[in-house]
Amino acid sequence: MAKLRTGRQKYYDFFSHFYDLFINLHSSNDRDETRTFLVDSALLENKRRAKVLDICCGTGSVALSFATHFSDCLVIGYDFSLGMLKKAKEKDSFGNVAFIKGDAADLSFADGCFDIVCCSHALYELKGPARKQALLEMKRVVKPAGRVLIMEHEVPRKRFIKLLFYLRMLMMGPKDAREFIKKGGAAFQDIFEDVALSHTRSGKSKLFICRKSFDDKKERSL
């Protein structure tokens, strides 16, 4: 298991050199819309000194978006790839985001310490047991009134982009990744009491909004 883990870390360390280019190709003009949609869904406008944890942060785009929109937030980007974290730190021109190396399935934080925990377009890359444990950890570290925001891809419509999408699925392990995508909201309802679903305007991404307890104002039940 340790050998496999090291191999995946090396893969992401290498991929970090091309990651932003891949995202730009995949997301095109919708990437800013997607990040803004995720940040706006956190509903932090009236929350002072909110604490935000971005799990599997990659090169830090989402974490940096939170820091840009809410200057008094404490934002932490969390990833197991030193290559990804190095790229993220290079993009943080103001130095106002903490980037930490760690395992999504074993978060090094106390219970109930974050207002927002998010994971953008990355959860499908974890294997089944690790994915479930990561969700349990997200639930553990978010505050009782906080939100866990999970953004995932919809299957692309354009032929070339769809090909890239399915190639990515194959690299992650076709059976496990496809089963997770097919399961949809049920994967989160197994962990959280309250799960709502919304979509970006472009329809290319979907956002699962998860809470520890029921929310009477949730946008749409699954």
Side-chain angles (χ1 to χ4, degrees):
M1 179 63 74
K3 186 176 181 180
L4 176 63
R5 189 72 173 166
T6 301
R8 287 180 65 79
Q9 285 177 319
K10 289 181 178 179
Y11 163 76
Y12 283 103
D13 289 345
F14 174 76
F15 189 38
S16 68
H17 298 287
F18 314 100
Y19 181 78
D20 285 335
L21 178 62
F22 176 84
I23 293 300
N24 289 340
L25 178 63
H26 181 275
S27 301
S28 186
N29 296 325
D30 301 307
R31 60 185 183 276
D32 292 334
E33 175 214 43
T34 301
R35 293 167 193 159
T36 300
F37 183 80
L38 175 57
V39 171
D40 288 346
S41 297
L43 303 180
L44 293 178
E45 287 77 10
N46 299 317
K47 183 75 175 179
R48 291 178 55 82
R49 298 178 181 177
K51 295 180 180 179
V52 178
L53 175 63
D54 180 21
I55 295 173
C56 302
C57 68
T59 58
S61 296
V62 171
L64 292 169
S65 292
F66 270 104
T68 299
H69 282 76
F70 306 107
S71 58
D72 66 339
C73 275
L74 169 63
V75 182
I76 296 176
Y78 199 81
D79 203 288
F80 82 151
S81 166
L82 287 175
M84 290 288 189
L85 293 173
K86 181 180 178 181
K87 292 293 182 182
K89 290 176 182 178
E90 291 174 356
K91 292 161 65 174
D92 185 12
S93 57
F94 295 102
N96 57 351
V97 178
F99 291 104
I100 299 175
K101 181 178 182 294
D103 187 345
D106 186 19
L107 300 178
S108 53
F109 304 104
D111 296 357
C113 60
F114 290 98
D115 298 283
I116 297 294
V117 178
C118 65
C119 183
S120 177
H121 303 104
L123 196 61
Y124 73 95
E125 299 187 17
L126 300 179
K127 300 302 180 184
R131 185 186 304 121
K132 182 176 181 179
Q133 185 58 37
L135 286 169
L136 289 169
E137 282 288 270
M138 294 180 205
K139 182 178 181 179
R140 179 182 67 80
V141 301
V142 76
K143 293 180 179 180
R147 290 182 160 203
V148 174
L149 306 177
I150 310 292
M151 181 163 276
E152 292 293 344
H153 297 290
E154 293 285 10
V155 177
R157 299 186 184 94
K158 293 183 179 179
R159 184 176 299 176
F160 178 65
I161 303 302
K162 183 183 291 188
L163 174 62
L164 291 177
F165 178 79
Y166 281 122
L167 285 174
R168 188 109 173 104
M169 292 296 102
L170 287 172
M171 287 189 290
M172 294 304 106
K175 183 177 179 181
D176 188 76
R178 290 185 184 183
E179 282 183 354
F180 170 67
I181 291 174
K182 184 177 180 180
K183 194 173 183 181
F188 307 107
Q189 290 175 319
D190 291 342
I191 305 295
F192 297 94
E193 286 74 19
D194 182 27
V195 181
L197 174 65
S198 57
H199 293 81
T200 59
R201 185 178 301 175
S202 67
K204 292 184 177 181
S205 293
K206 54 190 173 185
L207 180 67
F208 296 95
I209 303 170
C210 309
R211 296 168 62 98
K212 289 183 176 182
S213 58
F214 287 100
D215 180 7
D216 293 335
K217 297 180 181 179
K218 71 181 184 179
E219 294 144 40
R220 188 181 352 157
S221 298
L222 295 171

